[in-house]
Amino acid sequence: MSNSIIQQITNVTRREWKRILSHPIYLLTSVIAMLFCYLFFLTLMSEGLPEQLPIGIVDGDNSSLSRMLEQNIKASPQVEVVGKYATFTEARKDMQKGRIYAIIDIASGFQADLLASRQPAIAYYVNDVYLVAGSLSYKDLTYISELMSAFIQVESLQARGVVGGENLLPIVQPIAIDTHQIANPQANYNVYLSNVLLPGVLQLLVIMFTIYSIGVEIKQNTTREWLSTGNGSVLASLTGKLLPHTLLFTVLGLMGVFLLYKVMNFPMNGSIVWMSLAMFLFVLAHQSIGIFIIGVFGRMRDAISLGVFYGLLSFTFAGFTFPIEAMPRGAQIFSWFFPIRYYFKIYVNEALNGADIRYSLIYFAAMAAFLILPFLVYTRLTKTIEHHDSEEIRNNTLNEQLQ
């Protein structure tokens, strides 16, 4: 690259830094917004799992065993009994109002049926509109009920004098389950969500910032000034304009990598260097997508609308909540067009599995492939930038003549 091109890029870069620093909206929608997201999400789920989830109990039996079950539930840190209701209707109304996430309904005759070996049933009603809260409440209530059942069985066997001591365990639990959760042994929801949710917010900001920074030049009729700063070179003008954004969002992205794996001590079984490189490519890929969108539409309003739609859709096709492999074949193809999908794959290989880098090279290459997108719309974007001012002048002149 010749010195003249470097100088042109430098001039545009200086101009862009002045625009960023002189307009608070730039820093507000980039640095402040991302720092707020880091602070919000990393402190919101700092405990790892939601605790003290409010539930209600309808005790229609009011026996010693039903009260023992209630005490066991109250001893669990996962749920908190916030209401004891006389009827199921009262509990249902509180669930509909969102005050409780689950109801445990103990029917009358619970203790009598249990002592008579008639296998009484306990009904659980879980509000799965709140997926995480409902699922965790159900899991905890089921676990407590199983422990209660095992306790009663042990007491019954000992009362009959059938067996005692260690011989009871094979009867109560014939098959011993030894569970090992890979990569996230604490079942930490912060680890599960933040590793993709925060990059997802970042990619949305990068796309919007890229579209806005180019689109605002077209909207405010400053493209001639912008190009003249780059000595008439569209390539130098685009490069110089986006370099400050690349630096800004790369620093924010690397800050997120540092916070997740060094400050929060999230699992990192591979190399943080490769994750940092993935973050850099992640930013470049989404800048390329932003250029492509504004290049196709030309108008900032239309481009931002598509950019928002694309950015939000990427959360679905990242595949970290609902597996891509479980989607219909036609829907699976769409996952190829979202860089966050490949970033997620690198994260799984590097951070969680600690796999050799050769297993992630294909995903690095896939993110790098998005850098081709600006060249596909380069000619169209050049015409929009170069001829916008002249078209605006002609339109204004025509309007004046008509008036």
Side-chain angles (χ1 to χ4, degrees):
M1 187 179 291
S2 65
N3 290 333
S4 61
I5 294 294
I6 295 176
Q7 186 60 48
Q8 292 166 13
I9 293 174
T10 303
N11 292 339
V12 179
T13 301
R14 287 200 193 100
R15 176 181 180 271
E16 189 62 21
W17 274 121
K18 289 178 182 178
R19 289 175 65 90
I20 292 174
L21 296 176
S22 61
H23 292 77
I25 187 66
Y26 282 97
L27 295 178
L28 181 64
T29 56
S30 58
V31 178
I32 304 301
M34 202 63 224
L35 291 179
F36 172 78
C37 288
Y38 286 145
L39 179 65
F40 179 76
F41 287 111
L42 294 181
T43 55
L44 176 68
M45 297 178 287
S46 58
E47 298 298 326
L49 277 176
E51 294 186 349
Q52 301 299 311
L53 298 169
I55 66 169
I57 291 182
V58 181
D59 189 355
D61 191 49
N62 200 27
S63 61
S64 59
L65 281 178
S66 67
R67 288 193 294 272
M68 182 185 296
L69 177 59
E70 181 181 342
Q71 291 301 319
N72 287 335
I73 293 173
K74 288 180 177 179
S76 172
Q78 200 77 63
V79 295
E80 179 183 7
V81 179
V82 296
K84 189 172 180 181
Y85 304 93
T87 64
F88 175 76
T89 302
E90 295 177 7
R92 176 178 56 79
K93 289 179 179 178
D94 268 6
M95 177 179 279
Q96 290 173 332
K97 293 176 182 177
R99 294 174 180 169
I100 56 177
Y101 295 122
I103 302 170
I104 177 168
D105 188 4
I106 306 173
S108 61
F110 170 74
Q111 179 171 308
D113 288 343
L114 189 62
L115 296 178
S117 301
R118 286 196 289 264
Q119 197 176 21
I122 300 176
Y124 297 134
Y125 299 87
V126 179
N127 189 354
D128 270 339
V129 170
Y130 307 96
L131 182 60
V132 173
S135 299
L136 290 177
S137 300
Y138 176 75
K139 178 182 176 182
D140 200 58
L141 291 175
T142 303
Y143 178 68
I144 292 171
S145 298
E146 290 173 352
L147 289 180
M148 184 72 176
S149 176
F151 168 76
I152 293 171
Q153 189 175 357
V154 168
E155 290 292 316
S156 177
L157 290 172
Q158 286 181 335
R160 297 177 197 171
V162 179
V163 287
E166 296 180 356
N167 295 326
L168 283 172
L169 189 59
I171 297 176
V172 175
Q173 189 180 22
I175 300 175
I177 300 174
D178 189 11
T179 304
H180 298 273
Q181 297 186 111
I182 300 174
N184 188 11
Q186 292 81 24
N188 190 323
Y189 268 82
N190 206 356
V191 172
Y192 164 61
L193 290 174
S194 295
N195 275 288
V196 178
L197 194 60
L198 289 174
V201 174
L202 180 66
Q203 57 96 19
L204 189 58
L205 292 177
V206 172
I207 293 173
M208 294 297 98
F209 214 79
T210 303
I211 293 173
Y212 178 81
S213 63
I214 298 173
V216 74
E217 298 276 8
I218 299 172
K219 183 179 179 180
Q220 295 178 353
N221 302 320
T222 57
T223 53
R224 181 176 297 180
E225 177 195 341
W226 173 27
L227 283 177
S228 64
T229 309
N231 200 24
S233 171
V234 175
L235 181 60
S237 299
L238 273 174
T239 305
K241 172 171 278 292
L242 295 179
L243 268 179
H245 307 169
T246 304
L247 176 63
L248 194 63
F249 285 111
T250 299
V251 170
L252 287 172
L254 294 180
M255 183 185 298
V257 171
F258 176 78
L259 286 173
L260 292 177
Y261 305 120
K262 293 299 183 181
V263 177
M264 302 297 294
N265 293 316
F266 284 4
M268 173 49 70
N269 299 311
S271 170
I272 196 171
V273 175
W274 289 119
M275 286 302 301
S276 299
L277 177 60
M279 177 56 70
F280 176 63
L281 279 176
F282 183 76
V283 171
L284 290 180
H286 286 98
Q287 280 189 303
S288 299
I289 291 169
I291 297 171
F292 180 80
I293 293 174
I294 188 65
V296 169
F297 287 94
R299 298 174 62 184
M300 186 171 65
R301 180 182 60 188
D302 299 333
I304 285 182
S305 297
L306 180 62
V308 171
F309 176 74
Y310 175 90
L312 295 177
L313 200 60
S314 67
F315 287 96
T316 300
F317 288 102
F320 76 101
T321 298
F322 189 85
I324 298 296
E325 294 76 13
M327 294 182 181
R329 182 61 183 172
Q332 292 182 33
I333 297 174
F334 285 101
S335 67
W336 303 346
F337 304 107
F338 294 90
I340 195 172
R341 172 62 177 167
Y342 306 113
Y343 180 84
F344 176 64
K345 286 285 193 179
I346 295 170
Y347 155 68
V348 171
N349 284 345
E350 281 297 314
L352 297 185
N353 298 335
D356 193 272
I357 187 59
R358 67 176 183 271
Y359 296 107
S360 300
L361 290 178
I362 184 65
Y363 305 123
F364 279 99
M367 278 204 291
F370 283 89
L371 304 186
I372 300 173
L373 290 177
F375 297 99
L376 300 181
V377 296
Y378 182 75
T379 303
R380 180 180 175 84
L381 186 58
T382 298
K383 290 180 180 178
T384 303
I385 293 172
E386 288 181 340
H387 303 299
H388 178 74
D389 278 351
S390 59
E391 289 179 2
E392 196 69 27
I393 291 170
R394 284 198 300 269
N395 291 335
N396 291 337
T397 303
L398 181 60
N399 290 333
E400 290 175 1
Q401 290 175 352
L402 291 175
Q403 290 175 356

